[in-house]
Amino acid sequence: MLLALAVPSLAYRLTPRADLFTTLFFALFLTELWRFHRAERARLWLLPVVMLLWVNLHPGFIAGLGLVAAYVLCEALRLPFRDLRAGARQRLAISWPWLAATAAAVLVNPWGVAALRQARALAGLGGNSQAAPRFVGELSRQPLSWHVIPQAFHLRDPDSAFWWLLLAAAAAVLQALRRREIGAALVLAVSMAAALQKLRFQGLFSVVVIVIGGTLLAEALAELASRKPRPAPAAGSAALSASARAPAAGSAALSASARAPAAGAASVAAYPATKLSVAVQWCTVSLLAILCAVTTLRIADLASNRYYVVSASTSSFGPGESWWFPERAAAFMEREKLPGNIFQPYNLGGFTALRLGPHYLDYIDGRGVSGEVSTEEQALLAQSPDSPLWEQAASQRNINVILLSLARYGGLGGFDLNAFCGAAQWRPVYLDEVSLVLIRRTGQNKPWLDRLELNCQNAVFTPPPQASHGNLFEFYANSGAVLYALERDTEAEAAWQRSLALEPEDPNVHLFLAQLYQQQRRPGDAEREYRAALSRRQSAVAWYALGRLLAMQHRYSEAEPAIATATTMT
């Protein structure tokens, strides 16, 4: 049951990136160590073997070392208990060679001890860059407010499962303390705190809840479901008193009469335990039935793309690249043989490295979250391409091409599209609904500029041929966002209306329309769209925007609770 709840959290950590190795190996480490700690059959020899792979695949290997330390702590916390001490000592004596070999395996990598510094930076959440959490979403906190309570009961929102896992973890902590599993309680508590502190750790938290919490909660349910009838001392006392009172001649009859009240007393004593065990079994069956029903509903939402639309995801159901990747722009760059090097923002780093490397070297990716390049990237996107900072960076790094994402999530909001389209030193040569390519205006780049330069204000976005229902929706939704950024409002509204005709459940398109109508001084239409967005998904942005709109109309009694709601959600 816990595994079914944890699927969304685990899915986020099992996307095609090196981090998936950490999720996989963390689960293996924890399972084997937990089995051994519980005196079950375990394969400790796997730990150093897996660590040899882990340390060379992802810096999350430091979590494996943390699990080794946690295991030792769990055994140490059993030593003060006399009845648990011998077992803990015996397990430590058996396990220490394998644990030592696991720690030694960490050094078997091309960087030696330096790999520990990189891993420590990862565990430190962003290394030396204080700006990292601003543009790396998984480094942000889990929002905590009263508004998470309705989310926890939203059956069609897979993210609600996190709160049920958190509740299960809290129950498991209480069960661990009851059974004197102090170490297990600490591991669960630390994992809960980490999952609330950073979204990145929710996958590992789910593994801890499944392995440790699942064991403890299953044992608690088994204890309740299999409670045996309590012994009935009244039966024995009734028989003895009957024997004492009865004469020898009538002993047989009195013995029979003594057995009757004894049986009745036993049944009365057993009644509460039997009732409880039946209730536990029925509750378990009911929970499984509810879980199967909710899982079926969520599978339907995923396969129909409803979840991805409502949650403003850049993913969609099925194989292939996500809609927001600048695949056509990359093909254009290769086809036209544009000169390097490339500047591209952080969110395109992995795509650029895989799709265009090694011929085109990417500017920044997940390996450069901290340091000089990260700071420079943020500064460049905040300034006009005609600024001295751009001139300096282009000369220093020989940048000739800028590749920008125009995706409505994580793309357009990071820079001024009109400033880039209208720059004198950089000219657009390719534009579609998800990407923009510019070339630096230099003598050597003149042949490309003469042949390919375009005007963003005249660009026409054409839907891809034979596009699926979902892809066609994404095309119109994102085209509207790009047209709005280019101040082509009439075309933007038409594109958004077409997208809503395909997927009326998208809260963000309603929010975009509300902002457009508010700018056009159409408060009634704007309010309708803000409320439509909120009816589909609650968000601080929509509540705050609605509150400001109401305040501008002097509807202060309505504006105040809307803005207050927004503040509690941030």
Side-chain angles (χ1 to χ4, degrees):
M1 292 170 66
L2 293 176
L3 176 58
L5 287 174
V7 165
S9 297
L10 293 173
Y12 290 137
R13 309 315 309 170
L14 294 175
T15 52
R17 51 187 292 192
D19 182 55
L20 69 86
F21 291 112
T22 286
T23 305
L24 172 64
F25 294 151
F26 183 89
L28 188 148
F29 261 56
L30 180 61
T31 301
E32 297 301 328
L33 288 170
W34 177 244
R35 284 174 177 169
F36 190 74
H37 176 64
R38 303 274 293 182
E40 300 175 10
R41 183 180 178 184
R43 300 160 294 182
L44 295 183
W45 59 267
L46 274 174
L47 303 186
V49 175
V50 170
M51 183 57 79
L52 284 172
L53 297 171
W54 198 350
V55 72
N56 289 285
L57 290 171
H58 190 254
F61 71 87
I62 197 169
L65 294 179
L67 286 177
V68 169
Y71 164 74
V72 174
L73 178 64
C74 288
E75 298 292 8
L77 290 173
R78 284 190 167 189
L79 295 177
F81 301 101
R82 182 176 302 175
D83 56 329
L84 303 177
R85 187 179 302 152
R89 285 177 174 173
Q90 183 180 16
R91 286 188 296 275
L92 285 172
I94 295 172
S95 64
W96 80 261
W98 298 115
L99 303 182
T102 302
V106 168
L107 302 177
V108 186
N109 69 83
W111 302 275
V113 180
L116 286 168
R117 288 196 295 270
Q118 184 183 10
R120 194 165 55 248
L122 180 72
L125 308 174
N128 298 324
S129 175
Q130 297 178 354
R134 292 207 305 264
F135 62 94
V136 182
E138 65 187 34
L139 298 184
S140 58
R141 288 175 177 267
Q142 172 66 51
L144 285 176
S145 70
W146 291 109
H147 292 276
V148 304
I149 297 177
Q151 183 192 20
F153 292 95
H154 200 303
L155 295 181
R156 304 188 78 169
D157 184 0
D159 295 337
S160 65
F162 170 74
W163 302 107
W164 291 102
L165 287 174
L166 205 66
L167 183 63
V173 168
L174 296 178
Q175 170 69 357
L177 294 174
R178 189 180 74 84
R179 295 177 59 90
R180 295 182 298 170
E181 295 273 7
I182 310 300
L186 282 175
V187 172
L188 284 163
V190 169
S191 70
M192 292 168 65
L196 291 170
Q197 182 71 17
K198 300 294 175 184
L199 297 177
R200 165 179 283 176
F201 294 136
Q202 290 189 359
L204 302 186
F205 159 73
S206 300
V207 174
V208 174
V209 177
I210 293 167
V211 175
I212 298 180
T215 303
L216 295 170
L217 294 178
E219 289 176 352
L221 287 174
E223 289 174 7
L224 289 173
S226 62
R227 286 184 63 178
K228 294 181 173 55
R230 294 191 298 269
S237 61
L240 286 173
S241 60
S243 299
R245 291 194 300 269
S251 60
L254 285 175
S255 296
S257 65
R259 285 197 298 271
S267 64
V268 171
Y271 180 77
T274 304
K275 198 78 170 177
L276 178 62
S277 63
V278 171
V280 169
Q281 292 172 12
W282 274 107
C283 284
T284 304
V285 172
S286 300
L287 284 174
L288 283 171
I290 293 172
L291 185 63
C292 289
V294 172
T295 301
T296 302
L297 177 64
R298 290 183 177 174
I299 289 173
D301 282 347
L302 291 172
S304 66
N305 272 323
R306 181 190 181 278
Y307 164 71
Y308 300 104
V309 170
V310 174
S311 63
S313 174
T314 55
S315 300
S316 59
F317 185 78
E321 288 179 322
S322 296
W323 60 267
W324 68 276
F325 284 120
E327 175 59 39
R328 284 165 286 161
F332 167 82
M333 292 174 59
E334 289 183 326
R335 184 173 63 251
E336 299 295 340
K337 297 181 172 54
L338 299 188
N341 290 332
I342 300 176
F343 170 89
Q344 102 292 320
Y346 173 82
N347 65 329
L348 288 182
F351 172 84
T352 307
L354 180 67
R355 178 64 177 79
L356 294 172
H359 180 69
Y360 291 101
L361 302 181
D362 67 298
Y363 176 81
I364 187 173
D365 57 37
R367 297 167 293 181
V369 173
S370 60
E372 175 189 354
V373 179
S374 174
T375 303
E376 182 182 87
E377 179 225 8
Q378 296 295 297
L380 288 171
L381 290 173
Q383 297 195 24
S384 165
D386 292 328
S387 66
L389 182 62
W390 268 101
E391 179 65 27
Q392 177 184 349
S395 300
Q396 178 183 351
R397 304 186 186 279
N398 191 32
I399 299 173
N400 284 287
V401 173
I402 298 176
L403 172 61
L404 296 173
S405 169
L406 304 186
R408 62 190 187 277
Y409 310 132
L412 274 174
F415 61 95
D416 185 343
L417 178 57
N418 277 316
F420 277 80
C421 279
Q425 298 303 315
W426 296 85
R427 300 303 303 150
V429 293
Y430 179 86
L431 175 66
D432 62 28
E433 81 281 2
V434 295
S435 54
L436 172 67
V437 178
L438 303 102
I439 291 185
R440 188 182 180 192
R441 178 170 278 175
T442 63
Q444 70 178 32
N445 295 337
K446 190 174 185 301
W448 286 284
L449 289 169
D450 291 343
R451 184 163 49 89
L452 302 171
E453 185 176 351
L454 56 83
N455 186 337
C456 294
Q457 293 299 323
N458 299 329
V460 177
F461 301 135
T462 305
Q466 300 179 339
S468 65
H469 177 93
N471 288 340
L472 201 58
F473 159 75
E474 298 292 358
F475 168 80
Y476 284 116
N478 217 77
S479 295
V482 175
L483 292 165
Y484 179 72
L486 292 171
E487 300 178 4
R488 297 163 60 177
D489 294 351
T490 303
E491 297 169 89
E493 181 181 3
W496 281 331
Q497 293 292 1
R498 296 191 71 171
S499 72
L500 284 179
L502 294 166
E503 289 286 358
E505 292 298 309
D506 190 315
N508 285 285
V509 175
H510 286 287
L511 186 58
F512 294 151
L513 280 170
Q515 293 169 337
L516 173 62
Y517 293 150
Q518 185 172 349
Q519 183 179 335
Q520 295 175 341
R521 299 184 180 180
R522 298 161 58 182
D525 292 334
E527 181 179 350
R528 182 191 70 242
E529 295 299 329
Y530 279 133
R531 295 194 183 279
L534 287 167
S535 69
R536 287 154 175 81
R537 190 175 182 87
Q538 300 281 304
S539 73
V541 172
W543 275 116
Y544 180 70
L546 175 61
R548 288 193 61 187
L549 176 66
L550 296 171
M552 291 170 63
Q553 300 176 64
H554 307 291
R555 295 161 61 182
Y556 301 119
S557 61
E558 299 173 77
E560 182 179 0
I563 294 176
T565 300
T567 59
T568 61
M569 296 179 69
T570 55

